[in-house]
Amino acid sequence: MIPLAEARAHVLSRVEALAARPIRIEQALGLVLAEPVYSAEPIPGFANTAMDGYALQAEDTRGAPVTLEVVGTIGAGYDGDLQVGAGQAARIMTGAPIPDGADAVVKVELTSLPDGSGDRVNVEARVKPGNHIRHPGEDVAAGERVLEAGTVVTPGRVGLLAAVGAYDVAAHGRPRVGVLSTGDELADAAGPLRRGQIRDTNRRTLLSLVAEAGFDGVDLGIARDDPDDIERAFRAGVADCDAVLSSGGVSMGDFDYVKVVLDRIGDMRWMQIAIKPAKPFAFGIVDRTPVFGLPGNPVSSMVSFELLAKPALRAMAGFPPSDLGPATVRAISDDDLSHRNDGKTHYVRVAATRDHQGVLHVTRSGGQGSHQLAAMTRADGLAAVPDGSAAGVGDLVDVILL
Ligand code: AMP
Ligand code: MG
């Protein structure tokens, strides 16, 4: 058996980020920028008001309440040249440019109109220069690098790209990930199963995990336990996808032809990883395409995805080494999660709750068998418990939240 860290390092050493390409802002969500983005202009680009109210000279409010002459109205988008002199005020709406001569805004709530005409305004309170004024460059300076290469584009960052006028950016491709199931026992439809059959769950789960991670899943179907069928399926997958995930056929059984075939057509490494579940794992390159051989048991294939495939796919998507995951949080164990020494780190399915102080606590969430998918779906996370680690009641454990 090899440590998880070694398997992970091996996989990461053999994948690389997909090439950068020009992307329109509409398609950028979830992609990783390949080049930094700069703002040519300051944001805000001009002094403007944060409130609806009156633009005026702060000095005039020294003796508030005071009455000022209203010289005009300025809405957002105004580009006229209204001037505000001593004793004067301009009605102004949020986002509108501060007129020449004014150095403060008093919000409308602190004003009243002495007569119906709107020609004059009573200002009830004294304001300081700069009051409610948003200054140019307060958010972004001219020439500032607003996004680094390696940054994922989130909804707010899509807005920021628009704000700086970066409608075309360079981003890494979104990995197309083929998902293949293997096994003569697998059925893929409702209705009665014949003896010995089970329904294919892994392909559905893995396609969903791929989608949830932000990548494009490609359904490669089910290959039978037949070398020709397996070869055909892998060849089709690597021709069409940036990476292929298969499940099943990587353990010690007589019909585990995935191993035989991949060894023939690819450059593979077969690993026994010191973890439970998900000990067997294969990784290699077939026709320049990374191929992940995940174990067949449904829980194992999910754990293998989280610990090994997903970080590698994130690296392909352009995420930097520090951001490949899986992210862990610390939690207090309310159960004894420790195990007899077997050389493995156990990923214990746990339910997580917060106590009244907001501290995370975990308990075993039920069946821990690698075939028990229903039990897995009741878990909020996986607690990593290495051999001999203190994972008794009250101890702190590392948890991957699912
Ligand atoms: P294998 O590694 O092919 O021997 O599979 C290990 C276990 O996982 C067996 O019980 C298989 O029936 C089961 N298994 C393999 N592939 C799938 C799948 N796609 N969906 C559900 N169970 C599977
Ligand atoms: Mg099988």
Side-chain angles (χ1 to χ4, degrees):
M1 290 193 297
I2 61 170
L4 174 65
E6 182 182 332
R8 180 187 155 99
H10 171 72
V11 172
L12 293 178
S13 75
R14 299 201 70 186
V15 297
E16 50 188 47
L18 300 181
R21 42 182 188 170
I23 298 283
R24 281 286 303 173
I25 190 171
E26 295 85 352
Q27 269 74 52
L29 181 66
L31 296 181
V32 177
L33 296 174
E35 290 169 9
V37 175
Y38 295 85
S39 178
E41 298 137 11
I43 303 176
F46 52 91
N48 69 91
T49 174
M51 288 287 193
D52 296 322
Y54 290 84
L56 42 67
Q57 297 188 355
E59 181 62 27
D60 283 343
T61 66
R62 181 182 285 278
V66 293
T67 302
L68 303 176
E69 178 199 356
V70 178
V71 293
T73 300
I74 303 174
Y78 176 86
D79 76 344
D81 52 7
L82 194 69
Q83 299 270 332
V84 173
Q88 297 182 326
R91 192 156 162 68
I92 192 167
M93 314 303 154
T94 304
I98 302 297
D100 283 347
D103 65 358
V105 169
V106 62
K107 61 181 175 182
V108 71
E109 292 87 338
L110 295 178
T111 67
S112 60
L113 297 177
D115 47 48
S117 72
D119 290 345
R120 292 183 309 148
V121 62
N122 289 337
V123 177
E124 319 287 358
R126 181 175 176 190
V127 295
K128 296 204 186 95
N131 194 54
H132 295 321
I133 293 180
R134 300 163 170 168
H135 296 286
E138 236 174 38
D139 194 20
V140 175
E144 185 177 329
R145 186 166 62 216
V146 289
L147 292 170
E148 306 282 344
T151 310
V152 66
V153 180
T154 56
R157 289 172 184 156
V158 174
L160 182 56
L161 292 174
V164 305
Y167 292 96
D168 297 284
V169 294
H172 296 284
R174 192 189 304 279
R176 268 173 73 76
V177 184
V179 176
L180 174 68
S181 285
T182 66
D184 279 344
E185 73 277 34
L186 301 180
D188 189 36
L193 296 169
R194 68 164 170 70
R195 208 154 90 96
Q197 272 190 321
I198 60 169
R199 273 186 267 272
D200 175 8
T201 54
N202 295 351
R203 193 163 41 101
R204 308 285 171 187
T205 308
L206 290 168
L207 283 167
S208 304
L209 287 168
V210 165
E212 192 179 56
F215 311 132
D216 290 332
V218 177
D219 187 349
L220 300 177
I222 300 171
R224 299 293 146 199
D225 287 323
D226 165 78
D228 291 341
D229 200 31
I230 291 170
E231 177 168 349
R232 178 203 50 73
F234 274 107
R235 290 224 186 261
V238 298
D240 183 34
C241 301
D242 299 311
V244 170
L245 311 177
S246 69
S247 67
V250 297
S251 36
M252 303 297 190
D254 286 353
F255 303 107
D256 288 342
Y257 292 120
V258 171
K259 196 167 168 165
V260 178
V261 169
L262 286 179
D263 268 337
R264 180 155 49 76
I265 68 173
D267 172 18
M268 302 295 296
R269 178 166 169 193
W270 301 86
M271 296 167 243
Q272 299 290 321
I273 305 176
I275 58 175
K276 183 181 180 168
K279 183 171 71 149
F281 172 72
F283 175 79
I285 306 290
V286 177
D287 285 346
R288 293 193 301 281
T289 305
V291 170
F292 300 79
L294 309 183
N297 278 304
V299 175
S300 305
S301 68
M302 287 183 79
V303 171
S304 206
F305 179 87
E306 292 293 338
L307 298 180
L308 290 156
K310 187 171 165 184
L313 295 172
R314 283 173 68 84
M316 293 177 71
F319 285 90
S322 59
D323 192 15
L324 300 180
T328 60
V329 295
R330 305 221 86 194
I332 296 173
S333 181
D334 289 345
D335 269 345
D336 184 2
L337 302 179
S338 52
H339 57 266
R340 252 185 289 120
N341 286 358
D342 58 2
K344 299 180 197 164
T345 295
H346 291 211
Y347 285 86
V348 184
R349 275 125 273 171
V350 290
T353 48
R354 293 201 180 271
D355 66 19
H356 60 281
Q357 287 173 311
V359 176
L360 202 63
H361 290 247
V362 292
T363 55
R364 219 177 269 272
S365 65
Q368 299 287 326
S370 60
H371 58 298
Q372 289 176 294
L373 183 60
M376 172 77 168
T377 66
R378 288 190 283 272
D380 301 309
L382 300 167
V385 184
D387 261 3
S389 77
V393 175
D395 287 326
L396 279 170
V397 289
D398 285 325
V399 178
I400 301 167
L401 292 176
L402 295 171

